[in-house]
Coordinates of all heavy atoms in Angstrom, one line a residue:
N9 N -71.2 146.2 68.1 CA -71.1 145.7 66.7 C -71.3 146.7 65.6 O -70.8 146.6 64.5 CB -72.1 144.5 66.5 CG -71.7 143.3 67.3 OD1 -70.5 143.1 67.7 ND2 -72.6 142.4 67.5
A10 N -72.0 147.8 65.9 CA -72.1 148.9 65.0 C -70.8 149.6 64.7 O -70.6 150.2 63.6 CB -73.2 149.9 65.4
K11 N -69.9 149.5 65.7 CA -68.6 150.2 65.6 C -67.5 149.2 65.4 O -66.3 149.6 65.4 CB -68.4 151.0 66.9 CG -69.3 152.2 67.1 CD -69.0 153.0 68.3 CE -69.9 154.2 68.4 NZ -69.6 155.0 69.6
N12 N -67.8 147.9 65.3 CA -66.8 146.9 65.2 C -65.7 147.0 66.3 O -64.5 146.9 66.0 CB -66.1 147.0 63.8 CG -66.9 146.3 62.7 OD1 -68.1 146.0 62.9 ND2 -66.3 146.0 61.6
T13 N -66.2 147.2 67.5 CA -65.3 147.4 68.6 C -65.6 146.6 69.8 O -66.8 146.5 70.1 CB -65.2 148.9 69.0 OG1 -64.9 149.7 67.8 CG2 -64.2 149.2 70.1
V14 N -64.6 146.1 70.5 CA -64.8 145.4 71.7 C -64.0 146.1 72.8 O -62.9 146.7 72.5 CB -64.4 143.9 71.6 CG1 -62.9 143.8 71.3 CG2 -64.7 143.1 72.9
Y15 N -64.5 146.2 74.0 CA -64.0 146.9 75.1 C -63.6 146.0 76.3 O -64.2 145.0 76.5 CB -64.9 148.0 75.5 CG -65.4 148.9 74.5 CD1 -66.6 148.7 73.8 CD2 -64.7 150.0 74.1 CE1 -67.1 149.5 72.8 CE2 -65.1 150.9 73.0 CZ -66.3 150.6 72.4 OH -66.8 151.5 71.4
L16 N -62.7 146.5 77.1 CA -62.4 145.9 78.4 C -62.3 147.0 79.4 O -61.3 147.7 79.4 CB -61.2 145.0 78.3 CG -60.9 144.2 79.6 CD1 -61.9 143.1 79.7 CD2 -59.5 143.6 79.5
Q17 N -63.3 147.1 80.2 CA -63.2 148.0 81.4 C -62.6 147.3 82.5 O -63.0 146.3 83.0 CB -64.7 148.5 81.7 CG -64.7 149.4 82.9 CD -64.1 150.8 82.6 OE1 -64.3 151.3 81.6 NE2 -63.3 151.3 83.6
M18 N -61.5 147.9 83.0 CA -60.7 147.4 84.1 C -60.7 148.3 85.3 O -60.2 149.4 85.2 CB -59.3 147.1 83.6 CG -59.2 146.3 82.3 SD -57.5 145.9 81.9 CE -56.8 147.5 81.6
N19 N -61.3 147.8 86.4 CA -61.4 148.6 87.6 C -60.6 147.9 88.7 O -60.3 146.7 88.6 CB -62.9 148.7 88.0 CG -63.7 149.4 87.0 OD1 -63.2 150.3 86.3 ND2 -65.0 149.1 86.9
S20 N -60.4 148.6 89.8 CA -59.6 148.1 90.9 C -58.4 147.4 90.5 O -58.1 146.2 90.9 CB -60.5 147.1 91.7 OG -61.7 147.8 92.1
L21 N -57.6 148.0 89.7 CA -56.4 147.4 89.1 C -55.4 147.1 90.2 O -55.2 147.8 91.1 CB -55.8 148.3 88.0 CG -56.6 148.2 86.7 CD1 -56.3 149.4 85.8 CD2 -56.3 146.9 85.9
K22 N -54.7 146.0 89.9 CA -53.6 145.5 90.9 C -52.3 145.5 90.1 O -52.3 145.3 88.9 CB -54.0 144.1 91.4 CG -55.3 144.0 92.1 CD -55.7 142.6 92.4 CE -57.0 142.5 93.1 NZ -57.3 141.1 93.5
P23 N -51.2 145.5 90.8 CA -49.9 145.4 90.2 C -49.8 144.1 89.4 O -49.1 144.1 88.3 CB -48.9 145.4 91.3 CG -49.6 146.3 92.4 CD -51.0 145.9 92.3
E24 N -50.4 143.1 89.8 CA -50.3 141.8 89.1 C -51.1 141.8 87.8 O -51.1 140.8 87.0 CB -50.8 140.6 90.0 CG -52.1 140.8 90.6 CD -52.0 141.3 92.1 OE1 -51.1 142.2 92.3 OE2 -52.7 140.8 92.9
D25 N -51.9 142.9 87.5 CA -52.6 143.0 86.2 C -51.6 143.6 85.2 O -52.0 143.7 84.0 CB -53.8 143.9 86.4 CG -54.9 143.4 87.2 OD1 -55.1 142.1 87.1 OD2 -55.4 144.1 88.0
T26 N -50.4 144.0 85.6 CA -49.5 144.5 84.6 C -49.1 143.5 83.5 O -48.7 142.4 83.8 CB -48.2 144.9 85.3 OG1 -48.5 146.0 86.2 CG2 -47.1 145.4 84.4
A27 N -49.3 143.9 82.3 CA -49.1 142.9 81.2 C -49.4 143.7 79.9 O -49.9 144.8 79.9 CB -50.0 141.7 81.3
V28 N -49.0 143.0 78.8 CA -49.5 143.5 77.5 C -50.8 142.8 77.2 O -50.9 141.6 77.4 CB -48.5 143.1 76.3 CG1 -49.0 143.5 75.0 CG2 -47.1 143.8 76.6
Y29 N -51.8 143.6 76.9 CA -53.2 143.1 76.6 C -53.4 143.0 75.1 O -53.2 143.9 74.4 CB -54.2 143.9 77.3 CG -54.2 143.7 78.8 CD1 -53.2 144.2 79.6 CD2 -55.3 143.1 79.4 CE1 -53.2 143.9 81.0 CE2 -55.4 142.9 80.8 CZ -54.3 143.3 81.6 OH -54.3 143.1 82.9
Y30 N -53.9 141.8 74.7 CA -54.2 141.5 73.3 C -55.7 141.2 73.1 O -56.3 140.5 74.0 CB -53.5 140.3 72.8 CG -52.0 140.4 72.9 CD1 -51.3 140.1 74.1 CD2 -51.2 140.9 71.9 CE1 -49.9 140.2 74.2 CE2 -49.8 141.0 71.9 CZ -49.2 140.6 73.1 OH -47.8 140.7 73.2
C31 N -56.3 141.7 72.1 CA -57.6 141.3 71.7 C -57.4 140.3 70.6 O -56.4 140.3 69.8 CB -58.6 142.4 71.3 SG -58.2 143.2 69.8
A32 N -58.4 139.4 70.4 CA -58.3 138.4 69.4 C -59.7 138.0 69.0 O -60.7 138.1 69.7 CB -57.6 137.1 70.0
R33 N -59.8 137.5 67.7 CA -61.1 137.0 67.2 C -61.1 135.5 67.2 O -60.1 134.8 66.7 CB -61.3 137.5 65.8 CG -62.7 137.4 65.3 CD -62.8 137.6 63.8 NE -62.4 136.4 63.1 CZ -62.5 136.2 61.8 NH1 -63.1 137.2 61.0 NH2 -62.1 135.1 61.2
H34 N -62.2 134.9 67.6 CA -62.3 133.4 67.6 C -62.3 132.9 66.2 O -62.8 133.6 65.3 CB -63.6 133.0 68.4 CG -63.6 131.6 68.9 ND1 -64.0 130.6 68.1 CD2 -63.2 131.1 70.1 CE1 -63.9 129.5 68.8 NE2 -63.4 129.8 70.0

């Protein structure tokens, strides 16, 4: 929150994870 940033660490990636990834605010 000090950096106004959200992260997504993605490990063990699979071909089915292929996509455009979007962040969003509730």
Side-chain angles (χ1 to χ4, degrees):
N9 287 341
K11 296 182 178 180
N12 278 16
T13 302
V14 60
Y15 305 97
L16 186 68
Q17 178 67 44
M18 306 186 295
N19 298 330
S20 302
L21 282 161
K22 304 176 181 180
E24 51 262 45
D25 294 319
T26 294
V28 177
Y29 283 71
Y30 300 89
C31 72
R33 195 195 78 171
H34 201 273

